[in-house]
Amino acid sequence: MASSLRLAAAPGQATVLTRKGGHLAVLRPAPRFAAFQSRPRCAALRPVMVASAESAALEGAQARGASITDTMQALKREGRVAFIPFLVACDPDRDTTVEAIRRLDALGASVIELGVPYCDPVADGPVIQAAATRGLAHGTTLDDVLGLVAEVAPTIKAPILLFVYFNPILTRGLEKFCAQAIAAGAKGLLVPDIPLEEASAVADVAAAHGLELVLLTTPTTPPERMQAIARRSSGFVYLVSITGVTGVKEAMEARVEGLIAELQRQTDKPVAVGFGVSRPDQARQLAGWGAEGVIVGSALVRALGEAASPAEGLDAMAELAASLVQAIQK
């Protein structure tokens, strides 16, 4: 059975999600989202100092395990841009991921996005797909990722945002998954393959357990739908900067500046931009355009996971992360 999960990019095009044989059944067609393609269904995943009062408040909140909303709003009030790095759990291995998260936190990450390896990552480009494949090749399970979060979350200031596709959640059960994720120390979820029409049900259960659900909007999202996504999203609104999947791009599209401004007219929630952001000059450009957060994934994943050794990967990732943090400082 082919998977038809997509991120909703236009109104009137949605999927109905239901359980069927332990998997996700699609009862009506989903919209196309950029370059997402139908793929065969796979088996479900197995069971910098600033002397100010607001800075001090932010650091104190983080030390207490602040929510993503608290962290992002504190940064916004202070006029600072959030650095949100993304990694794939257990690539190149579990211990290296733990150390990488701690290094990113020490370098000034505001929120850390951690991807659960999945065999059909429809929103991800080749770099993150390869990282997920390596993670799964190690035998990584959902329980392994939650155990990793439980180990590292108490040792860092930045809240952890779990990036996870819906099928593993559905297989485990939404209530059970949310209870386990919050118990492990995660602060939020980003589920890229649920459309707006189905987001409320997930958001309500997540919120009941203390988790925030971050939603994505795209370059092709109509303004009225963008407003609805912004209302439903918690923590921040994730603006996808390109029409396509994640990856390293040579230049930011000029229209992104207008998209940021449009979103900020629709909501007072922080707007963070991701997909295709890989270099300090791009991060600096986004900050100059008014983005309140910059999300970097593929470049960091490549630096960490494709190095000759874990130690070299950690150093390469840290060097890139430090340059990104410096680029967005005001």
Side-chain angles (χ1 to χ4, degrees), residues 46-47 89-90 94 138-150:
R46 294 172 295 168
C90 300
R94 185 188 187 282
H138 297 319
T140 302
T141 67
L142 182 54
D143 286 334
D144 292 331
V145 179
L146 293 173
L148 186 160
V149 173

Side-chain angles (χ1 to χ4, degrees), residues 63-106:
R64 293 189 300 272
S67 68
I68 296 168
T69 290
D70 289 343
T71 299
M72 295 295 292
Q73 289 290 347
L75 287 166
K76 181 176 179 176
R77 288 194 301 269
E78 196 172 296
R80 295 166 63 188
V81 178
F83 170 52
I84 307 175
F86 170 92
L87 295 177
V88 175
C90 300
D91 176 54
D93 56 61
R94 185 188 187 282
D95 291 345
T96 303
T97 302
V98 170
E99 178 60 23
I101 291 171
R102 288 174 175 155
R103 289 204 190 186
L104 289 169
D105 183 64

Side-chain angles (χ1 to χ4, degrees), residues 4-10 13 29-37 218 220 243:
S4 297
L5 288 173
R6 295 297 184 271
L7 176 66
Q13 298 176 303
R32 295 184 179 183
F33 173 52
F36 290 11
Q37 302 293 326
T218 79
T220 59
T243 305

Side-chain angles (χ1 to χ4, degrees), residues 26-58:
V26 180
L27 302 186
R28 66 177 183 265
R32 295 184 179 183
F33 173 52
F36 290 11
Q37 302 293 326
S38 294
R39 296 186 177 97
R41 170 157 294 171
C42 54
L45 188 68
R46 294 172 295 168
V48 171
M49 293 301 291
V50 178
S52 76
E54 288 181 326
S55 290
L58 172 63

Side-chain angles (χ1 to χ4, degrees), residues 131-310:
T133 298
R134 290 191 296 267
L136 291 172
H138 297 319
T140 302
T141 67
L142 182 54
D143 286 334
D144 292 331
V145 179
L146 293 173
L148 186 160
V149 173
E151 177 181 343
V152 74
T155 71
I156 64 174
K157 295 179 180 179
I160 293 177
L161 173 65
L162 281 178
F163 180 105
V164 55
Y165 287 90
F166 192 67
N167 203 41
I169 298 175
L170 185 65
T171 300
R172 177 147 304 193
L174 180 57
E175 289 275 1
K176 183 176 181 179
F177 173 80
C178 289
Q180 291 177 335
I182 194 71
K187 294 297 184 180
L189 304 176
L190 197 164
V191 187
D193 52 359
I194 55 168
L196 175 63
E197 289 73 14
E198 279 72 52
S200 290
V202 177
D204 290 345
V205 175
H209 289 276
L211 291 166
E212 299 184 278
L213 182 67
V214 175
L215 299 182
L216 302 95
T217 184
T218 79
T220 59
T221 303
E224 65 276 8
R225 188 171 181 81
M226 182 184 292
Q227 185 177 40
I229 290 170
R231 282 198 305 266
R232 182 74 267 190
S233 188
S234 298
F236 61 91
V237 183
Y238 192 134
L239 173 60
V240 175
S241 72
I242 59 175
T243 305
V245 296
T246 61
V248 176
K249 306 299 180 183
E250 284 302 310
M252 301 307 302
E253 297 184 11
R255 63 177 172 174
V256 174
E257 183 176 13
L259 290 169
I260 295 170
E262 176 63 27
L263 255 179
Q264 290 171 335
R265 284 192 290 270
Q266 304 278 10
T267 183
D268 60 357
K269 294 173 185 175
V271 175
V273 182
F275 282 51
V277 188
S278 61
R279 301 193 311 267
D281 62 301
Q282 294 171 330
R284 185 181 301 110
Q285 185 175 38
L286 288 172
W289 284 348
E292 290 140 328
V294 174
I295 304 164
V296 182
S298 293
L300 293 168
V301 169
R302 174 180 287 170
L304 179 64
E306 299 182 10
S309 70

